[in-house]
């Protein structure tokens, strides 16, 4: 009888000890992951202009950047007191569906004061605003931000390309999609100063 009670007590202690160790390990792993996530991210690789960059659903090739008061590809002159900061790039949709969420692909670092939060994208072949980009059909795009005339701008522009990862099933709805946006490459372009549009 005493042996049975001792065995039961021992099994209970081993079980609780195992649960306690497992809980401590889980807490330790969670803490370590939190610390790693809070640390500075690894340096973003820098690539040369004209280099194709695979960024999840997109392939991006940056060509040149300019600052001007000239008319935009669709003829719009911009708001008075602003200039257009433009970046020309080739963009290809690597996914299987049409998409137009291109405004999150590029970010300018360090940020420029007064820069519009999101760019407007134009198709260079006809000057139209970019609608949905079809899969497998690369396009030459011009992305345009507005910046106040009085804002000082750098001589070079560092552009960071953001990529996403495809997951066949997400954790919330078990649906496919592109997730986890993160910087995948950076390109530094000289910022060309274009002339003022005489009709402005």
């Amino acid at each position: 009888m005493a042996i049975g009670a001792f065995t039961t007590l021992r099994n209970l202690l081993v079980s609780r000890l195992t649960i306690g160790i497992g809980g401590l390990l889980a807490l330790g792993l969670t803490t370590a992951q939190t610390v790693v996530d809070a640390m500075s991210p690894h340096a973003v690789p820098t690539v040369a202009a004209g280099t194709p960059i695979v960024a999840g659903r997109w392939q991006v090739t940056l060509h040149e950047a300019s600052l001007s008061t000239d008319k935009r590809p669709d003829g719009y002159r911009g708001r008075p007191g602003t200039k257009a900061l433009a970046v020309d790039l080739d963009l290809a949709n690597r996914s299987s569906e049409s998409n137009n969420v291109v405004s999150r692909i590029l970010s300018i670092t360090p940020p420029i004061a007064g820069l519009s939060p999101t760019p407007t994208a134009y198709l260079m072949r006809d000057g139209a605003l970019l609608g949905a980009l079809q899969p497998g059909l690369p396009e030459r795009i011009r992305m345009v931000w507005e910046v106040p005339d009085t804002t000082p701008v750098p001589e070079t522009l560092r552009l960071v390309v953001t990529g996403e990862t495809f997951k066949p099933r997400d954790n919330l709805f078990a649906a496919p999609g592109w997730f986890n946006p993160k910087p995948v490459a950076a390109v530094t372009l000289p910022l060309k100063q274009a002339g003022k549009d005489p009709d402005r």
Side-chain angles (χ1 to χ4, degrees):
M1 189 73 167
I3 294 175
F6 176 75
T7 302
T8 302
L9 181 60
R10 184 184 66 184
N11 290 343
L12 182 61
L13 287 173
V14 169
S15 173
R16 290 196 175 172
L17 185 61
T18 303
I19 292 170
I21 291 172
L24 286 174
L25 284 173
L27 179 61
L29 288 172
T30 303
T31 302
Q33 185 63 46
T34 302
V35 170
V36 168
D37 289 345
M39 292 172 65
S40 298
H42 297 294
V44 178
T46 300
V47 301
T51 303
I53 300 165
V54 175
R57 78 175 91 192
W58 307 107
Q59 178 171 295
V60 184
T61 307
L62 297 170
H63 294 291
E64 64 178 39
S66 62
L67 184 70
S68 79
T69 55
D70 293 343
K71 290 183 286 188
R72 300 182 189 181
D74 64 348
Y76 176 58
R77 299 176 186 278
R79 294 182 303 152
T82 64
K83 292 181 181 179
L85 192 156
V87 175
D88 290 357
L89 61 143
D90 291 331
L91 191 61
N93 182 352
R94 300 176 63 242
S95 73
S96 60
E97 297 180 349
S98 300
N99 202 289
N100 66 352
V101 290
V102 299
S103 62
R104 300 182 300 223
I105 296 172
L106 297 180
S107 59
I108 298 170
T109 60
I112 297 173
L115 194 72
S116 55
T118 55
T120 303
Y122 298 93
L123 291 169
M124 293 304 292
R125 60 180 161 85
D126 59 9
L129 289 170
L130 173 64
L133 199 61
Q134 308 302 318
L137 297 174
E139 290 278 6
R140 178 63 59 95
I141 305 295
R142 176 168 291 166
M143 298 183 83
V144 178
W145 292 260
E146 277 192 349
V147 62
D149 282 337
T150 55
T151 297
V153 292
E155 293 182 357
T156 59
L157 204 62
R158 184 174 184 267
L159 295 146
V160 175
V161 178
T162 298
E164 297 169 307
T165 304
F166 180 77
K167 292 177 68 175
R169 295 168 63 91
D170 74 332
N171 297 336
L172 189 57
F173 299 110
W178 294 89
F179 304 96
N180 306 322
K182 64 179 182 180
V184 295
V187 178
T188 299
L189 299 174
L191 189 58
K192 298 179 179 179
Q193 300 279 339
K196 183 177 177 66
D197 185 343
D199 297 328
R200 187 178 172 102

